[in-house]
Amino acid sequence: MAVKGFDYEGFAQNLAGQAQDLVPNEFSPDEKQYVINTLGNFAMMAGKALAEDKSLNFDADTCTYITQIIAEWSFHKSVDTIRAGIPRQHWDSVMQRIAYTIFEVAKQAFTQKLPNDQIIELIEHHVNKAYNDALEDLKNKGIIDESLEKFAASQNNMNKMAQEMQQQAAQQAAAQVAGADPNSVPQAAQNLPQAVPASGALAQTEPEPKALKLATVAMLFKRMNQDRVQTMLDKFEDQDAQDVIRYMRLPDLTQRVGVENALRCLQEIKLQLPKASDLAPMLVVKKIKNFASKYTENELETILIKERIGVKRLVFTALEDKYYEKIPPKVASIVATHLQNSV
């Protein structure tokens, strides 16, 4: 192995293993296996070539990063190719063209030491060009018609996964706060029992709106890091903070509040939040820069190595004081919070 610390075989196998849970459910077993095998094979070949080419003088981090990029794009474009309805016997020719393009562009970009955001944009541009050129070749050979070419060109699994991730995050957040299974049907709200301390105002047959909101906040806080909870409680009025803490101690708080009440309170709280909030693009940029400022460039690349291309682009674009417009602010805010809490 020419590059110390770069186990390309193990890394390729790990990437292929991760892909098994990401292949679309509607794919047949043969289609799923094709996506996994294609990703694994291209990652293995790219990693081997990078490790054995001494003229490149790449370190383990760079080799890993390039291999990761090839694996991710191999995954997304193989999914796009299959979803497009390209004849099975031509999948390999499309994917080989894309993988070769990524490999060559990435080598040149890293050799020239281009900024990371430029590298990511450059690779995406050439991946899309290679994919569209491959489709055009198939059309010119009479293998597909113009309508199929246009349909295939419209496929974008990367964006589809980002949208699904946003929807899933919203559903899980609501279910987590409500203490419910996201696949279950919400039960009717229950009246709150007299056993709750009167000072919390939860002993009412018809609970006061403020008390319900504080109880809902308590449900949310019970599932958060307690250091963050204390920081947030410091911003509450003393009595409200005491009530939230009291509610957090109740083992059956979720049952007392009720799913429907919790969801309704969450919606009311959301409507009362300032519109600017931390979803404003430049505030997201600031949050990401604060996160990234703790690490060197190499450390940051290592931290982001398992993240999707879109996440990497969001981070490295933010380091240039710019916002990556292709990711909606709500998703970007979730990503920024995820990065802060996962390291």
Side-chain angles (χ1 to χ4, degrees), residues 147-309:
S147 62
L148 182 53
E149 179 191 18
K150 290 181 179 179
F151 177 70
S154 71
Q155 298 301 308
N156 194 323
N157 186 63
M158 181 179 290
N159 287 349
K160 181 178 175 64
M161 286 186 67
Q163 293 170 359
E164 290 174 349
M165 183 173 64
Q166 178 185 5
Q167 294 171 357
Q168 184 180 30
Q171 292 170 357
Q172 288 178 346
Q176 185 182 48
V177 172
D181 183 338
N183 296 317
S184 66
V185 178
Q187 299 177 352
Q190 302 174 358
N191 289 332
L192 298 169
Q194 296 290 331
V196 181
S199 63
L202 281 176
Q204 311 285 333
T205 302
E206 295 292 335
E208 296 178 2
K210 182 177 181 180
L212 264 180
K213 290 176 183 176
L214 291 176
T216 301
V217 169
M219 291 167 62
L220 178 61
F221 281 3
K222 287 179 72 172
R223 292 165 172 79
M224 292 174 56
N225 178 285
Q226 293 308 298
D227 290 337
R228 294 181 62 200
V229 168
Q230 187 57 55
T231 299
M232 298 176 75
L233 282 174
D234 289 342
K235 299 178 182 179
F236 282 55
E237 294 183 4
D238 290 344
Q239 184 59 54
D240 290 345
Q242 292 174 18
D243 286 343
V244 170
I245 293 172
R246 190 174 292 113
Y247 301 151
M248 289 175 66
R249 292 172 181 164
L250 296 175
D252 59 345
L253 179 61
T254 297
Q255 289 73 26
R256 295 191 182 202
V257 174
V259 173
E260 292 181 4
N261 281 338
L263 293 176
R264 186 177 66 251
C265 285
L266 282 175
Q267 183 62 27
E268 292 175 2
I269 292 170
K270 177 181 177 181
L271 293 174
Q272 293 172 358
L273 291 174
K275 296 299 180 183
S277 70
D278 63 351
L279 297 183
M282 293 316 295
L283 291 179
V284 173
V285 168
K286 182 178 179 181
K287 183 186 291 187
I288 292 175
K289 288 187 68 177
N290 287 339
F291 153 76
S293 66
K294 304 174 185 177
Y295 308 99
T296 65
E297 184 173 328
N298 285 339
E299 289 173 336
L300 196 58
E301 289 177 356
T302 301
I303 291 170
L304 298 175
I305 198 166
K306 293 185 178 180
E307 299 293 344
R308 295 186 174 88
I309 294 290

Side-chain angles (χ1 to χ4, degrees), residues 5-280:
F6 179 48
D7 177 13
Y8 63 84
E9 291 185 7
F11 187 52
Q13 291 171 1
N14 180 266
L15 291 172
Q18 293 180 43
Q20 294 185 28
D21 296 328
L22 300 175
V23 180
N25 291 329
E26 72 267 21
F27 279 17
S28 68
D30 177 65
E31 291 169 338
K32 291 181 179 180
Q33 198 59 51
Y34 179 84
V35 173
I36 296 168
N37 290 345
T38 298
L39 180 155
N41 291 338
F42 285 164
M44 181 77 75
M45 289 188 291
K48 186 174 187 295
L50 291 168
E52 295 180 353
D53 191 343
K54 298 180 180 180
S55 66
L56 294 173
N57 199 30
F58 288 159
D59 59 16
D61 288 342
T62 301
C63 292
T64 300
Y65 189 31
I66 294 175
T67 304
Q68 171 86 11
I69 292 173
I70 290 175
E72 289 188 358
W73 277 114
S74 296
F75 175 83
H76 290 300
K77 298 318 290 184
S78 60
V79 169
D80 289 345
T81 300
I82 294 172
R83 276 195 175 133
I86 301 298
R88 174 67 175 83
Q89 62 268 33
H90 298 287
W91 292 353
D92 284 347
S93 64
V94 174
M95 294 309 304
Q96 287 167 5
R97 188 166 187 164
I98 291 171
Y100 176 78
T101 297
I102 301 172
F103 185 71
E104 293 301 320
V105 171
K107 282 199 306 181
Q108 293 299 319
F110 278 95
T111 298
Q112 296 174 25
K113 300 187 184 301
L114 296 179
N116 281 292
D117 60 333
Q118 290 186 25
I119 292 176
I120 292 172
E121 289 182 5
L122 189 65
I123 290 174
E124 181 174 14
H125 168 76
H126 282 283
V127 165
N128 291 330
K129 184 177 185 303
Y131 180 62
N132 290 331
D133 287 348
L135 296 177
E136 186 175 7
D137 284 350
L138 292 177
K139 184 193 71 173
N140 292 338
K141 293 176 181 177
I143 296 170
I144 62 175
D145 58 21
E146 186 173 355
S147 62
L148 182 53
E149 179 191 18
K150 290 181 179 179
F151 177 70
S154 71
Q155 298 301 308
N156 194 323
N157 186 63
M158 181 179 290
N159 287 349
K160 181 178 175 64
M161 286 186 67
Q163 293 170 359
E164 290 174 349
M165 183 173 64
Q166 178 185 5
Q167 294 171 357
Q168 184 180 30
Q171 292 170 357
Q172 288 178 346
Q176 185 182 48
V177 172
D181 183 338
N183 296 317
S184 66
V185 178
Q187 299 177 352
Q190 302 174 358
N191 289 332
L192 298 169
Q194 296 290 331
V196 181
S199 63
L202 281 176
Q204 311 285 333
T205 302
E206 295 292 335
E208 296 178 2
K210 182 177 181 180
L212 264 180
K213 290 176 183 176
L214 291 176
T216 301
V217 169
M219 291 167 62
L220 178 61
F221 281 3
K222 287 179 72 172
R223 292 165 172 79
M224 292 174 56
N225 178 285
Q226 293 308 298
D227 290 337
R228 294 181 62 200
V229 168
Q230 187 57 55
T231 299
M232 298 176 75
L233 282 174
D234 289 342
K235 299 178 182 179
F236 282 55
E237 294 183 4
D238 290 344
Q239 184 59 54
D240 290 345
Q242 292 174 18
D243 286 343
V244 170
I245 293 172
R246 190 174 292 113
Y247 301 151
M248 289 175 66
R249 292 172 181 164
L250 296 175
D252 59 345
L253 179 61
T254 297
Q255 289 73 26
R256 295 191 182 202
V257 174
V259 173
E260 292 181 4
N261 281 338
L263 293 176
R264 186 177 66 251
C265 285
L266 282 175
Q267 183 62 27
E268 292 175 2
I269 292 170
K270 177 181 177 181
L271 293 174
Q272 293 172 358
L273 291 174
K275 296 299 180 183
S277 70
D278 63 351
L279 297 183

Side-chain angles (χ1 to χ4, degrees), residues 301-327:
E301 289 177 356
T302 301
I303 291 170
L304 298 175
I305 198 166
K306 293 185 178 180
E307 299 293 344
R308 295 186 174 88
I309 294 290
V311 172
K312 295 172 184 174
R313 180 166 304 166
L314 176 69
V315 172
F316 290 116
T317 300
L319 295 181
E320 301 292 330
D321 287 321
K322 298 177 183 177
Y323 180 73
Y324 181 52
E325 299 290 346
K326 291 187 178 181
I327 295 184

